[in-house]
Amino acid sequence: MTHTISPPSKTESEPPEIHERPGRGPIDWLGGWKTLFIASALLAASFIGLRIYQGYFAWWNEAGLNSKSPAFTKYWFSLFIIEVLLAGAITLSWWGWLAKKGKQLVDKPITHREEVRRIAVFWGLVGATCVVLYFMASFFPNQDGVWHQTAVRDTALTPSHIVMFFWAFPLGITMTVGTYLYGRFWLPKVYGAQKGFPWSFFLLIAASVTEMMQVAMNEWGHSLWITEEIFAAPFHWPFVTYGWLASGIFACWAETLGRLLQIEDELPPETRTETVAEAPARTAS
């Protein structure tokens, strides 16, 4: 038996929706959630690729053990320069685009469907930020501790530092600030200028910036004391602050979840299930 589900009726406050290709709706995997998969895959690929690079050029052929050797300059100092320039270019380009595009969108009315899609994209950016936070605050720091308890450093630009401090850490700032800019302009009912600066992003951005600043103090401490065998050295303690500040990321989900519930209440009763739950097709068997 086959029946047809009629399109949801429109209200005066809800402009006609643009026809979407099947599977590309606000909460479809290839629709609103696409940002999560693409961003997370690209970030994880860069980190895993650099870890493979480390394994080969840092230890196996000893290119990363002597900072005065030509091999170190070729394989590691050049990577350091590339990372700094690439991270800077990506950050400024993305932030600039978000600010420019966002100012054009912030005052334009949006449908509930579009707002749901933007929240899905926002959650995708938060998820991609989690990928960066894991690598910058867990994976590479643990690797760094093992490296410096195994090999004596003769430079602050060790292979583990070059990847962690000059790629993973800057991308943490890139993602946290960029995610806020998206929320600021694309989700004005949650993060608009009239709402003030949210504590959630104050904590989250402060976490990534604190981590970057703590690195400088950490290297200063290591230049004064040889404490490679003591991982819990006093100048490592402030890193714990980062973990507490990063918990602000959970509030980002809670704040936008509250807006989703408001959207559900704002919709006419006959359109709630179809518009927010996003039925996979208008014709069902």
Side-chain angles (χ1 to χ4, degrees):
M1 178 178 180
T2 301
H3 65 277
T4 301
I5 301 176
S6 301
S9 60
K10 301 298 177 184
T11 64
E12 293 181 358
S13 60
E14 189 79 1
E17 66 186 47
I18 299 175
H19 179 70
E20 297 159 351
R21 286 184 294 171
R24 303 298 177 94
I27 57 172
D28 287 329
W29 297 125
L30 297 179
W33 287 109
K34 181 172 63 175
T35 298
L36 170 65
F37 301 122
I38 294 177
S40 297
L42 290 175
L43 290 167
S46 72
F47 295 132
I48 295 172
L50 285 170
R51 178 61 190 91
I52 295 172
Y53 185 95
Q54 280 180 326
Y56 186 78
F57 292 111
W59 192 262
W60 296 339
N61 67 354
E62 300 184 355
L65 300 180
N66 182 2
S67 64
K68 303 299 188 294
S69 67
F72 186 92
T73 301
K74 178 180 179 181
Y75 294 109
W76 290 106
F77 190 74
S78 60
L79 178 63
F80 160 70
I81 297 297
I82 292 172
E83 286 180 346
V84 171
L85 294 177
L86 187 58
I90 291 173
T91 299
L92 295 178
S93 299
W94 189 41
W95 289 357
W97 179 84
L98 287 170
K100 181 179 179 180
K101 182 69 173 180
K103 289 179 180 179
Q104 300 172 358
L105 297 175
V106 67
D107 294 325
K108 293 183 179 180
I110 59 174
T111 65
H112 288 115
R113 287 174 62 83
E114 173 61 14
E115 190 170 6
V116 170
R117 186 195 69 81
R118 293 182 183 185
I119 291 175
V121 173
F122 178 83
W123 284 12
L125 292 174
V126 173
T129 301
C130 290
V131 173
V132 177
L133 297 183
Y134 164 70
F135 279 98
M136 71 178 277
S138 180
F139 183 86
F140 286 123
N142 280 283
Q143 179 216 31
D144 184 62
V146 173
W147 174 272
H148 291 306
Q149 291 177 15
T150 305
V152 177
R153 71 176 79 183
D154 62 351
T155 175
L157 289 175
T158 61
S160 61
H161 283 179
I162 287 174
V163 173
M164 179 172 63
F165 293 166
F166 302 102
W167 183 250
F169 282 17
L171 288 183
I173 299 176
T174 300
M175 291 301 301
T176 53
V177 175
T179 302
Y180 167 70
L181 290 174
Y182 183 88
R184 165 68 174 77
F185 294 114
W186 271 260
L187 298 173
K189 292 185 179 180
V190 182
Y191 297 112
Q194 72 279 7
K195 303 289 186 180
F197 193 81
W199 275 103
S200 56
F201 276 103
F202 173 81
L203 296 174
L204 186 56
I205 294 173
S208 56
V209 173
T210 298
E211 186 84 336
M212 196 72 178
M213 295 175 62
Q214 172 60 20
V215 166
M217 192 190 85
N218 179 70
E219 290 311 296
W220 171 77
H222 279 293
S223 68
L224 297 180
W225 306 288
I226 301 298
T227 58
E228 308 298 348
E229 74 284 0
I230 306 175
F231 188 70
F235 46 86
H236 285 167
W237 296 350
F239 281 117
V240 178
T241 306
Y242 158 83
W244 289 103
L245 292 172
S247 63
I249 200 169
F250 297 106
C252 295
W253 279 302
E255 291 162 346
T256 45
L257 177 60
R259 177 56 192 156
L260 284 175
L261 297 177
Q262 290 177 350
I263 292 174
E264 179 77 7
D265 292 336
E266 292 172 3
L267 290 171
E270 68 272 15
T271 66
R272 289 180 184 176
T273 302
E274 178 74 5
T275 304
V276 177
E278 188 61 18
R282 297 200 182 281
T283 301
S285 298

